[in-house]
Amino acid sequence: MTQRNRLSHTQSASQSRRQPSTSAAQEEDDDTIFTQPSSTQVQKGLEKLTAAEVERKVAEVVQYFLVKDQKKVPVRRAELVKNVVKEYRNVYPEIIKRTARTLDQVFGLKLVEIDSKNHMYILVNNLEPADGASPINSPTSPKMGLLFVILSVVFMKGGVVRENLIWNTLKKLRVDPGEKHEEFGDVKRLVTDEFVRQRYLEYARIPHTEPIEHEFRWGQRADAEVSKAKILEFLGQLFEQEPQSWSQQYKEAHSSQASSSSQR
Amino acid sequence: MSRQMGDSHRRFLQTMMANGIIDEQGAKALYQHCCEVHSTQCAADRLDDFIEVINSKLQPMFMQIRKGMSEVTGYQHYALVNMAETDITRMSSDYADNELELFRKTMDLIVGSENGTASSTDILNSTDSMTTKKLKKSETEHLLSRFVQDNWLSEKRGEYTLSTRCIIEMEQYIRKMYPDQVKVCYICHNVAFQCQICEKPTCGIKIHNPCVARYFKGRPDPHCPACEEFWPHEIPEIRRPRSQSRR
């Protein structure tokens, strides 16, 4: 299950941690206050700072991204500026450029803006999962196994599925969304809240249904991080079938594979 | 030799980030694995050079892969440490203020003890004198298990010790905070918590248990290396590395 390793590559053995308490509305406000400085403003700002000062700030921003990435929470530009960049906001573009370069060159992680309207960032691993097993078992979260199952179902069903299908699939695996699971806790919350906040899944209401129904899609992080070709390979092994036999999915996996690797 | 980082270095670093600490055997195997995956040259005795390349790039980020010995097994370990704030504030993104206070109190108890341990009873009692929001008994127990899970403390039969990772990462902080209490091992010169102590009151040197095992090996009549007084403690056996290395 190298895919699982990859998914939780930088995940520490994390459990319930304090959540940032800033409300969304508050952050909206900050975001409108913060306007991207122009390149001449940045140039002027940089002239007033020493190279060491800029380097130190970049280091702080890099650390901030790494800490957030452990919990797989996207970073909003507004909160980044408010909590870390602070008085360096006038040289923000330069800071973020150098941060991206460091994350890439030193840590093998790519800084991706997943939402250009709300300015959210995530880190995506540049390194493909190794074919041979690593001698060091990184602490993989069992939650990632569950996520992999859900992503597989959504992908095989054409990219969008009604929630009932997911719940029924999980029940077959003895994971009942209505019961407290010993490993996953509140399964419904994990799937519809935590995975959604981490941008692994999208969970949206289907319009005009009575009673209310929801559907699942892949989230932006899954698009960026999870290889569809690997999913097919895995299912191929599971069902003893050639991945090519799912022709539609195979085509999609290998066209999206090409586009995502050309971005690298 | 190239001083630039390649994907093999990045893969090694990512595994260090996910684990926090790896023993020497594991690090060697991981080094080899990373070189194989990215088809780069790998010389068995070059691990420290390989890590040095990573460290040169981590330095501007105030991070470092540092080597240190386990006080229990005597094996070398590599830990990824954060030097930006060498004190407990490093943990501040994961723990609340009162939780950090409990950690400090636990550290007080461990550093102040003779053998580098604090019992769960003593830790529970120390919550009485907390200045921040007091922790309930159940909260304290849960928190202690979190400290163990996050690799800051180790626990054995209700006795808590500082983990190898914690000692490697916080050595400077501990030396600064407890200048009168901290003693270094007479043999390896690193800070010593779990150790044996010379019983002559004017001497009182400390030696790590694994260092005791190595130093007194094959000496039927052990004497203190500092004051020549008879060494009355039981001499532990040198631990053999397991064939399959795990933390």
Side-chain angles (χ1 to χ4, degrees):
Chain A
M1 295 232 75
T2 44
Q3 190 66 34
R4 274 172 60 173
N5 284 331
R6 183 186 183 201
L7 283 168
S8 56
H9 226 104
T10 49
Q11 196 132 12
S12 70
S14 63
Q15 55 277 321
S16 58
R17 298 256 162 87
R18 289 176 300 150
Q19 295 294 332
S21 56
T22 11
S23 69
Q26 169 78 36
E27 281 169 3
E28 290 298 330
D29 286 349
D30 292 335
D31 213 27
T32 46
I33 292 164
F34 178 72
T35 46
Q36 189 100 328
S38 71
S39 56
T40 46
Q41 278 175 314
V42 172
Q43 207 50 51
K44 270 192 187 162
L46 283 175
E47 282 163 16
K48 292 192 193 120
L49 296 165
T50 66
E53 283 171 331
V54 177
E55 196 172 86
R56 170 138 208 143
K57 188 51 76 176
V58 170
E60 282 177 34
V61 175
V62 167
Q63 294 237 358
Y64 188 77
F65 274 113
L66 292 176
V67 168
K68 290 286 174 185
D69 186 58
Q70 292 195 337
K71 297 161 208 167
K72 296 284 164 207
V73 185
V75 171
R76 296 173 63 96
R77 189 179 74 182
E79 77 184 271
L80 178 67
V81 169
K82 195 173 116 196
N83 298 332
V84 192
V85 179
K86 292 177 189 165
E87 68 276 18
Y88 288 67
R89 59 177 66 205
N90 59 331
V91 294
Y92 177 83
E94 183 66 18
I95 301 274
I96 204 76
K97 196 173 89 192
R98 293 197 195 187
T99 299
R101 192 164 62 205
T102 301
L103 287 168
D104 177 73
Q105 291 179 353
V106 181
F107 298 94
L109 300 168
K110 184 170 157 177
L111 183 66
V112 179
E113 190 172 35
I114 52 167
D115 186 337
S116 54
K117 197 165 133 262
N118 293 311
H119 302 290
M120 302 238 230
Y121 301 100
I122 59 169
L123 299 182
V124 175
N125 200 343
N126 278 339
L127 302 179
E128 290 287 321
D131 287 332
S134 167
I136 301 296
N137 288 324
S138 295
T140 51
S141 157
K143 289 176 183 174
M144 288 299 130
L146 183 75
L147 173 68
F148 193 71
V149 169
I150 298 170
L151 289 175
S152 300
V153 173
V154 175
F155 172 54
M156 297 310 282
K157 292 284 176 191
V160 50
V161 300
R162 289 181 178 241
E163 63 178 322
N164 272 347
L165 181 71
I166 296 295
W167 304 135
N168 290 335
T169 309
L170 295 187
K171 270 184 208 158
K172 280 183 206 152
L173 301 170
R174 307 251 166 89
V175 180
D176 193 322
E179 286 169 24
K180 202 172 163 63
H181 189 271
E182 121 185 48
E183 195 74 65
F184 308 129
D186 184 340
V187 177
K188 180 131 196 215
R189 201 198 67 79
L190 172 66
V191 175
T192 63
D193 183 62
E194 193 170 320
F195 288 158
V196 172
R197 257 188 299 119
Q198 295 172 334
R199 299 293 192 279
Y200 278 117
L201 290 175
E202 278 176 23
Y203 179 66
R205 200 190 147 178
I206 306 170
H208 319 299
T209 50
E210 187 60 43
I212 293 173
E213 267 192 89
H214 291 82
E215 56 192 11
F216 284 105
R217 285 184 176 77
W218 278 35
Q220 287 149 308
R221 183 189 292 276
D223 281 331
E225 272 186 6
V226 182
S227 155
K228 289 171 177 161
K230 289 270 181 212
I231 289 191
L232 278 184
E233 236 170 75
F234 168 73
L235 292 174
Q237 284 167 9
L238 197 67
F239 293 106
E240 295 183 345
Q241 212 171 316
E242 287 297 317
Q244 285 91 331
S245 60
W246 293 287
S247 57
Q248 202 57 42
Q249 283 84 353
Y250 190 81
K251 229 165 79 190
E252 192 192 333
H254 289 269
S255 65
S256 63
Q257 180 93 335
S259 71
S260 82
S261 54
S262 69
Q263 280 169 17
R264 283 182 183 162
Chain B
M1 193 185 148
S2 163
R3 304 294 295 168
Q4 277 305 312
M5 266 183 99
D7 280 346
S8 55
H9 297 93
R10 295 184 190 112
R11 188 175 296 276
F12 188 93
L13 176 57
Q14 285 188 0
T15 311
M16 287 297 308
M17 291 200 297
N19 288 274
I21 184 164
I22 294 178
D23 69 15
E24 190 175 29
Q25 252 185 308
K28 282 181 175 163
L30 178 64
Y31 166 49
Q32 205 182 348
H33 168 78
C34 292
C35 290
E36 276 165 17
V37 170
H38 299 286
S39 320
T40 47
Q41 259 196 335
C42 170
D45 54 346
R46 290 281 180 183
L47 173 61
D48 285 339
D49 291 340
F50 182 82
I51 288 176
E52 198 38 58
V53 173
I54 302 174
N55 277 342
S56 69
K57 302 291 174 193
L58 284 181
Q59 198 241 332
M61 249 76 58
F62 309 101
M63 294 163 85
Q64 190 184 34
I65 297 175
R66 206 181 281 168
K67 206 171 172 178
M69 183 191 77
S70 155
E71 294 199 323
V72 179
T73 63
Y75 304 149
Q76 291 296 328
H77 286 69
Y78 292 88
L80 180 67
V81 303
N82 193 326
M83 304 176 298
E85 304 136 293
T86 35
D87 58 11
I88 291 182
T89 56
R90 158 82 178 82
M91 299 163 76
S92 56
S93 61
D94 289 348
Y95 298 97
D97 285 347
N98 57 343
E99 295 173 336
L100 289 176
E101 189 184 4
L102 184 84
F103 188 81
R104 279 192 210 97
K105 286 192 172 299
T106 306
M107 206 178 224
D108 291 347
L109 288 168
I110 290 174
V111 175
S113 73
E114 274 211 338
N115 54 358
T117 65
S119 71
S120 52
T121 320
D122 288 347
I123 299 172
L124 282 167
N125 286 335
S126 76
T127 58
D128 291 340
S129 60
M130 282 178 72
T131 52
T132 52
K133 189 169 169 284
K134 279 205 170 57
L135 289 156
K136 290 192 205 101
K137 182 167 179 282
S138 60
E139 289 172 333
T140 306
E141 281 165 347
H142 179 71
L143 179 58
L144 284 172
S145 70
R146 255 177 82 199
F147 285 141
V148 172
Q149 207 183 349
D150 291 351
N151 225 330
W152 295 109
L153 296 177
S154 302
E155 187 263 345
K156 211 174 175 184
R157 288 182 226 103
E159 296 285 326
Y160 288 85
T161 54
L162 299 180
S163 72
T164 307
R165 187 271 194 103
C166 178
I167 295 172
I168 297 176
E169 177 139 6
M170 295 205 188
E171 171 163 0
Q172 268 130 11
Y173 169 82
I174 296 168
R175 281 177 189 255
K176 197 175 82 197
M177 293 301 289
Y178 308 93
D180 303 329
Q181 283 164 287
V182 165
K183 282 206 168 182
V184 297
C185 170
Y186 191 82
I187 303 298
C188 75
H189 310 295
N190 289 311
V191 286
F193 301 101
Q194 298 177 67
C195 55
Q196 296 184 354
I197 302 173
C198 176
E199 293 202 341
K200 190 169 158 187
T202 52
C203 178
I205 62 150
K206 286 186 169 182
I207 306 179
H208 288 121
N209 297 337
C211 294
V212 166
R214 271 192 286 258
Y215 182 79
F216 289 117
K217 184 175 183 277
R219 296 183 199 213
D221 187 24
H223 285 83
C224 170
C227 71
E228 297 290 315
E229 183 79 8
F230 177 67
W231 196 264
H233 310 287
E234 191 190 330
I235 310 299
E237 290 279 313
I238 298 179
R239 294 232 201 170
R240 297 258 158 254
R242 298 135 296 167
S243 52
Q244 266 300 311
S245 66
R246 285 288 174 265
R247 249 184 303 160

